[in-house]
Amino acid sequence: MSSTTAQSGLARARRGLAPGGSGGRPRNEDLNRKSKLSGQTTRTFFWLLLPSIVLVILINGYPLIYAAVQATHDGSLIDTGNFVGLDNFTSVLTSPAFWKAAQFTLLFTIVGVFGSWGVGLGLALLLRTKIPAGGAFKVLLLLPWVVPIVVSSTAWNWLVATPDSLIPSIFRNLGLGTPLFLADPHLAAVMVMVFKVWVSFPFMMMMTSAALASVDTTVYEAASMDGATRWQQFTQITLPMIARSTYISWILMTIFCVNDFPTIYLLTGGGPVDATTSLVVLAYRSVFQDFQTGHGVAIAFLMTLTLVIVSVFLYRQIRKSSVE
């Protein structure tokens, strides 16, 4: 009897009838009702979000449109000037100063991203081990990121700016001469990049530490039992499993480096002889010192286009790592 009842219930379920008999509600009516509720919910969410969407479009859209107008005119901050089309972009792209700044920006970004990532990864792996006073050590490592950039740049200027600063004095006492770290073009470029790594590695360390915390330690135990070396575990387990977080941190740090104005300007001002002038510093000079707003905004547009291309490429790498 019970077997017959169960079979009857299954048959009714397949036909979309309620257990009480043929008078139950058909399944397609339930689906229609749910779809209507879903449509109403979607419309409600849309109208609730609409004011915020409009506000975001106005806040971001108006400056973008106004910047596009300035990039196609030969005016200043107080006067739009005459329409010149793409002449500003042509002038910028044919300027040696632009390509010199682009070259430094590329090198500054590469060193800033991969230098800070390498230091942050190494420290994150170190903090994963049991070391004495690991919590206090971690807090100390966050200080370069937490301390205001004005304070950090002032401290670095005190260390290297003049021949009588601390580090040049140490070199002189060791009989290695007196290097002028911020007066020599090559040394100034090196110092700016080292300073960028210094202020950025805590961010990379925190990103990597969070990614490493999600890696199951039993994976390493199984790999050790299979005879994998520490290097093989690092290259074939650790790096692939934190790849998604790594690409995200690279995207963010690339944006930080390309748009980084205070790190360079507060330490060297873009000098000496424009050796540390990046694109954002060049854009600042064009707008606020040379009063050529069109040129400065054109540089900013080219920077944005480059960042979009790099971000899209890295985002595709994120999707590939997620699939794998």
Side-chain angles (χ1 to χ4, degrees):
M1 180 66 179
S2 59
S3 176
T4 304
T5 304
Q7 292 177 359
S8 176
L10 289 173
R12 289 176 179 275
R14 292 191 188 98
R15 293 196 300 269
L17 300 178
S22 59
R25 185 187 299 275
R27 183 178 295 177
N28 59 353
E29 292 185 11
D30 288 337
L31 293 175
N32 291 335
R33 182 174 165 219
K34 290 180 179 179
S35 64
K36 290 180 180 179
L37 291 174
S38 177
Q40 293 175 356
T41 303
T42 302
R43 286 192 293 271
T44 302
F45 284 157
F46 172 77
W47 288 112
L48 289 174
L49 290 173
L50 184 61
S52 299
I53 295 173
V54 172
L55 184 62
V56 169
I57 291 175
L58 290 176
I59 292 175
N60 294 279
Y62 172 76
L64 185 63
I65 294 173
Y66 187 66
V69 171
Q70 288 183 313
T72 55
H73 289 71
D74 60 355
S76 62
L77 289 173
I78 59 176
D79 182 24
T80 304
N82 299 319
F83 179 77
V84 294
L86 299 178
D87 288 353
N88 287 324
F89 291 91
T90 303
S91 177
V92 165
L93 291 174
T94 55
S95 170
F98 171 81
W99 291 109
K100 183 179 180 179
Q103 183 179 5
F104 175 76
T105 303
L106 177 62
L107 186 59
F108 178 77
T109 302
I110 291 174
V111 174
V113 172
F114 294 105
S116 61
W117 175 72
V119 175
L121 176 61
L123 291 172
L125 292 171
L126 177 64
L127 292 173
R128 205 180 184 202
T129 62
K130 294 182 179 179
I131 59 175
F137 185 52
K138 193 172 186 177
V139 172
L140 289 175
L141 290 175
L142 289 176
L143 287 179
W145 180 262
V146 175
V147 173
I149 190 67
V150 175
V151 177
S152 297
S153 62
T154 302
W156 275 66
N157 267 291
W158 177 78
L159 287 173
V160 300
T162 67
D164 295 327
S165 297
L166 179 61
I167 295 180
S169 297
I170 293 175
F171 273 78
R172 184 171 58 251
N173 293 332
L174 293 175
L176 301 176
T178 306
L180 302 176
F181 288 102
L182 299 185
D184 181 87
H186 299 292
L187 290 178
V190 171
M191 290 305 301
V192 167
M193 295 174 198
V194 172
F195 182 45
K196 181 60 182 178
V197 172
W198 166 256
V199 298
S200 301
F201 82 83
F203 172 79
M204 290 295 201
M205 181 186 70
M206 295 301 296
M207 292 284 290
T208 309
S209 296
L212 289 172
S214 64
V215 179
D216 192 355
T217 55
T218 58
V219 179
Y220 296 101
E221 296 174 1
S224 298
M225 294 178 63
D226 290 337
T229 63
R230 289 293 183 90
W231 177 252
Q232 289 174 330
Q233 293 178 28
F234 175 71
T235 57
Q236 300 180 25
I237 296 176
T238 303
L239 290 181
M241 296 191 76
I242 66 171
R244 181 181 178 86
S245 175
T246 298
Y247 289 131
I248 292 174
S249 64
W250 286 358
I251 291 175
L252 294 175
M253 189 53 64
T254 298
I255 295 173
F256 295 160
C257 289
V258 173
N259 292 325
D260 193 348
F261 177 79
T263 297
I264 299 172
Y265 199 79
L266 291 175
L267 193 63
T268 65
V273 293
D274 296 334
T276 60
T277 298
S278 65
L279 288 175
V280 68
V281 174
L282 183 63
Y284 167 81
R285 288 177 176 174
S286 298
V287 175
F288 296 102
Q289 294 181 359
D290 300 335
F291 303 106
Q292 295 179 338
T293 306
H295 286 186
V297 176
I299 294 171
F301 268 104
L302 293 173
M303 289 169 53
T304 304
L305 178 61
T306 303
L307 286 174
V308 169
I309 294 172
V310 173
S311 299
V312 169
F313 171 76
L314 291 176
Y315 178 72
R316 288 183 177 179
Q317 296 301 119
I318 293 175
R319 297 185 62 180
K320 288 181 182 179
S321 65
S322 300
V323 173
E324 294 173 359

